[in-house]
């Protein structure tokens, strides 16, 4: 939510809003906003809204006619409107913890456990992204668990891959997302200063280095170099945020495991939030702005 002014000869205040519930979100405008309106409404505020849905620049937008904050008498809670991962944190976090404990190599297990401890509490709610994929309550833990499932299959199919590096890379690749983004109820309000100036990839690499000093592990060892490479290369290209490209077998696998889970989740989420009568989904930004056809056989 943001208070703005029109560009007319006599500027008027209005509220630029995003209305959201568990099914998705839509932009909205409250025109001719009063000083009371601007002082009353704030981000993450639970409201009752009446309005007219209009098409603006080929996108739906709500022209708000009435809006008020909810009260205890409305019998609703903000958690009723929050979009969440398909599985609760109580189911997801033990899977991640078990994966860490299953790591055979002592130094890999120690470094991963050290980094995970930094964000263990935040994992209860942290999203995996602001808008791109798994952008909801518990999205990061869900993303990691689904990647671990894919990684387990890939390691059985391709025995030349090191399972410890695959699992470690999956857990570490987005481990600093809770620090990179300021979120509440799984909704990202903004990127943190560290997120804007350093980013989750470099933060995670720094945490690995920090772990070596705390745990007495040689920072120049092949294990440390491999873990840092997995994190630094998982976006694959510099324009996507990776300073290096994957040049370990496990780094190649990690990039495609990450990409496949993210893109399939984008499709699944869009299918679930597209009206039943629509044949095509809206375009999906992460799929080069392609729409998905809801094929019926």
């Amino acid at each position: 939510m943001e208070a703005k002014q029109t560009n007319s000869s006599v500027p008027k205040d209005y509220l630029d809003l995003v209305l959201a519930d568990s099914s998705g979100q839509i932009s909205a405008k409250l025109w001719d906003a009063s000083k009371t309106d601007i002082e009353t409404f704030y981000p993450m505020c639970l409201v009752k809204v009446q309005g007219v849905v209009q098409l603006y620049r080929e996108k739906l937008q709500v022209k708000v006619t009435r809006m008020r904050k909810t009260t205890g008498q409305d019998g609703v809670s903000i958690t009723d409107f929050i979009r969440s991962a398909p599985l609760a944190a109580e189911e997801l976090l033990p899977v991640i913890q078990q994966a860490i404990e299953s790591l055979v190599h002592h130094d890999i297990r120690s470094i991963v456990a050290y980094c995970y401890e930094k964000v263990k509490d935040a994992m209860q709610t942290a999203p995996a992204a602001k808008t791109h994929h798994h952008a909801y309550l518990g999205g990061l833990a869900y993303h990691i668990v689904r990647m671990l499932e894919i990684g387990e299959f890939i390691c059985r199919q391709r025995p030349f891959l090191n399972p410890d590096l695959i699992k470690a890379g999956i857990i570490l690749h987005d481990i600093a997302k809770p620090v990179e983004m300021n979120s509440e109820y799984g909704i990202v309000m903004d990127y943190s200063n560290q997120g804007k100036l350093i980013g989750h990839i470099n933060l995670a690499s720094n945490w690995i280095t920090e772990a070596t000093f705390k745990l007495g592990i040689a920072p120049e060892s092949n294990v440390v170099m491999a873990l840092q490479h997995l994190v630094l290369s998982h976006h694959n290209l510099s324009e996507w945020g990776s300073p290096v490209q994957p040049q370990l077998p496990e780094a190649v696998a990690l990039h495609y495991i990450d990409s496949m889970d993210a893109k399939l989740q984008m499709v699944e989420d869009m299918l679930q939030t597209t009206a039943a009568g629509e044949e095509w989904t809206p375009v999906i930004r992460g799929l080069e702005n392609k729409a998905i056809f809801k094929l019926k056989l």
Side-chain angles (χ1 to χ4, degrees), residues 94-282:
V95 176
I96 298 174
Q97 189 65 52
Q98 193 279 327
I100 295 173
E101 293 170 0
S102 72
L103 294 168
V104 177
H105 195 289
H106 176 270
D107 287 352
I108 293 177
R109 184 172 67 252
S110 299
I111 291 171
V112 173
Y114 178 89
C115 294
Y116 182 68
E117 195 63 31
K118 284 179 171 287
V119 295
K120 187 175 180 180
D121 292 339
M123 277 285 183
Q124 298 277 345
T125 60
K130 184 176 182 180
T131 57
H132 207 44
H133 66 92
H134 299 85
Y136 37 69
L137 187 79
L140 179 56
Y142 185 63
H143 179 43
I144 291 173
V145 168
R146 297 309 297 267
M147 286 179 64
L148 286 169
E149 293 170 352
I150 298 171
E152 183 179 2
F153 168 78
I154 293 294
C155 286
R156 289 200 307 269
Q157 188 191 63
R158 307 284 178 172
F160 69 88
L161 295 171
N162 183 304
D164 272 8
L165 288 180
I166 293 292
K167 285 186 280 190
I170 288 170
I171 295 168
L172 293 176
H173 82 289
D174 279 349
I175 196 75
K177 283 287 185 78
V179 175
E180 179 183 53
M181 301 179 293
N182 296 324
S183 65
E184 187 176 359
Y185 295 108
I187 299 172
V188 178
M189 316 307 291
D190 194 6
Y191 287 89
S192 67
N193 291 336
Q194 290 187 79
K196 293 173 181 177
L197 297 176
I198 302 173
H200 75 280
I201 289 177
N202 290 314
L203 282 169
S205 180
N206 291 344
W207 290 358
I208 293 170
T209 301
E210 178 185 316
T212 65
F213 291 107
K214 295 287 186 178
L215 301 171
I217 298 170
E220 69 277 5
S221 69
N222 283 344
V223 164
V224 175
M225 180 172 62
L227 293 179
Q228 289 181 317
H229 180 72
L230 287 165
V231 168
L232 293 171
S233 67
H234 80 269
H235 279 185
N236 187 40
L237 300 176
S238 59
E239 55 262 41
W240 295 345
S242 277
V244 293
Q245 289 184 281
Q247 289 185 275
L248 290 174
E250 293 78 14
V252 174
L254 175 63
H255 167 66
Y256 286 106
I257 291 169
D258 181 29
S259 180
M260 180 168 67
D261 184 61
K263 291 180 185 300
L264 287 177
Q265 196 63 51
M266 293 176 208
V267 173
E268 181 179 346
D269 290 344
M270 192 62 78
L271 288 171
Q272 290 179 347
T273 55
T274 300
E278 296 292 331
E279 285 190 331
W280 288 87
T281 71

Side-chain angles (χ1 to χ4, degrees), residues 33-81:
S34 66
K35 183 180 179 180
T36 301
D37 290 331
I38 295 172
E39 293 175 349
T40 299
F41 303 112
Y42 51 87
M44 299 301 296
C45 175
L46 192 59
V47 297
K48 293 193 73 171
V49 174
Q50 288 183 353
V52 178
V53 179
Q54 302 173 325
L55 197 62
Y56 177 71
R57 293 182 178 176
E58 300 184 359
K59 291 186 178 181
L60 294 178
Q61 185 181 90
V62 176
K63 179 183 178 182
V64 177
T65 56
R66 294 180 62 188
M67 184 166 72
R68 70 167 175 82
K69 291 176 66 176
T70 60
T71 66
Q73 294 179 341
D74 291 312
V76 295
S77 166
I78 193 169
T79 56
D80 298 328
F81 297 88

